[in-house]
Amino acid sequence: WGRLFERRMTDIKTEIEEIVARHHANKLGHRQIIEAKRIVTHEEAEKVMELLLHDVDASVQTAVQNQQKIDAVSRKLFDKSNDVSKKAALWLNSYQTFTTTLQDVSDVENVLRAVESELTYASHTLGRVWESHCNEIRQKDELERLKRQQELNDRLVRQKQQDELIRNKAKRQQAQQQQQQQSPSDAASSPSPADAAGPDDVAPPAWTQKKSPVQPSAGETV
């Protein structure tokens, strides 16, 4: 029993050593995997940082260029505003001079009343001219409408006359056909000389009879 126990303990110790060795091997492999992932992550982070820095540099450069453009435009606007202010000052001086001249020549109110009266007269004149023009246009439209109506009425009258001529012609043709159909039936219904003679009458010899013209039958036409 003692030997068996020692052998069993030796086997258990061997198994424990194998388990520990596998554990160390797995731990080492896990560390290698983590180290590889850490390296990859560090490289990716460096790439992302480079991209971000590149984007930031590009954005800063674009902002600088925009700022330069804004500065140039602001200078132009400042120059134009100075020109406009100078022109406004000149216009103000001209207006003041014109106002002073009007006051020296005559009263401004009288001038305005005269201008208003002239504008009113011109407005009334234009209104009358426009009204007469509109009346002429309406008259032309009415004449054109009456002309089209007259042409339409004439066309309808001619159409009615043509329809009446066609109906009269058809009636005449129908009457002629009826007459042509009645004439053979009248000839067929008239009695023959043989039927008109009595039963006691004796027919003459054949050599003494004159040849009578052939009478058309009821179905034949003359």
Side-chain angles (χ1 to χ4, degrees):
W1 288 100
R3 292 178 181 178
L4 182 62
F5 179 74
E6 288 177 0
R7 191 181 298 172
R8 184 62 180 168
M9 290 298 293
T10 302
D11 294 336
I12 292 171
K13 186 178 180 180
T14 304
E15 291 177 0
I16 291 171
E17 289 176 355
E18 292 177 356
I19 292 170
V20 171
R22 285 198 301 270
H23 175 69
H24 285 295
N26 293 330
K27 189 175 181 180
L28 181 61
H30 186 64
R31 284 180 180 178
Q32 291 176 355
I33 292 170
I34 291 173
E35 185 66 21
K37 289 182 178 180
R38 187 182 65 78
I39 293 170
V40 172
T41 305
H42 184 68
E43 291 176 355
E44 294 292 333
E46 288 180 352
K47 290 180 182 179
V48 171
M49 288 298 293
E50 289 178 358
L51 291 174
L52 291 174
L53 290 174
H54 180 69
D55 293 338
V56 169
D57 292 337
S59 300
V60 170
Q61 189 175 3
T62 305
V64 171
Q65 292 177 358
N66 292 332
Q67 185 65 33
Q68 292 176 357
K69 291 180 181 178
I70 290 169
D71 293 337
V73 173
S74 63
R75 292 193 192 94
K76 291 181 181 179
L77 289 176
F78 182 73
D79 296 336
K80 288 183 179 180
S81 64
N82 290 330
D83 295 335
V84 170
S85 62
K86 292 178 181 178
K87 290 180 180 179
L90 292 174
W91 278 104
L92 183 60
N93 293 328
S94 300
Y95 176 74
Q96 290 176 355
T97 305
F98 180 71
T99 304
T100 305
T101 304
L102 285 178
Q103 289 177 357
D104 294 337
V105 171
S106 63
D107 190 9
V108 178
E109 187 176 359
N110 294 328
V111 174
L112 291 176
R113 287 179 182 175
V115 172
E116 185 178 1
S117 62
E118 291 178 358
L119 290 175
T120 304
Y121 178 74
S123 177
H124 290 313
T125 304
L126 289 174
R128 288 194 296 271
V129 171
W130 177 253
E131 186 176 359
S132 63
H133 181 67
C134 291
N135 291 329
E136 290 178 359
I137 291 174
R138 284 195 291 270
Q139 290 176 1
K140 288 182 181 179
D141 293 339
E142 185 67 21
L143 290 174
E144 188 68 22
R145 188 183 64 81
L146 292 174
K147 185 178 179 180
R148 290 197 298 269
Q149 186 68 28
Q150 185 65 30
E151 291 177 356
L152 182 61
N153 293 332
D154 295 340
R155 195 180 296 111
L156 291 174
V157 169
R158 289 195 296 270
Q159 187 67 29
K160 288 182 180 179
Q161 291 177 357
Q162 291 178 1
D163 294 341
E164 188 67 24
L165 291 174
I166 291 171
R167 286 197 294 271
N168 292 333
K169 186 176 180 181
K171 287 181 181 179
R172 287 196 298 270
Q173 290 178 358
Q174 187 176 4
Q176 289 177 3
Q177 290 178 1
Q178 289 179 358
Q179 290 178 2
Q180 290 177 2
Q181 290 178 0
Q182 287 178 1
S183 58
S185 62
D186 293 340
S189 61
S190 60
S192 61
D195 294 334
D200 296 335
D201 295 336
V202 179
W207 58 273
T208 60
Q209 295 179 357
K210 294 180 179 181
K211 293 184 179 180
S212 60
V214 178
Q215 297 291 334
S217 63
E220 296 177 355
T221 56
V222 178

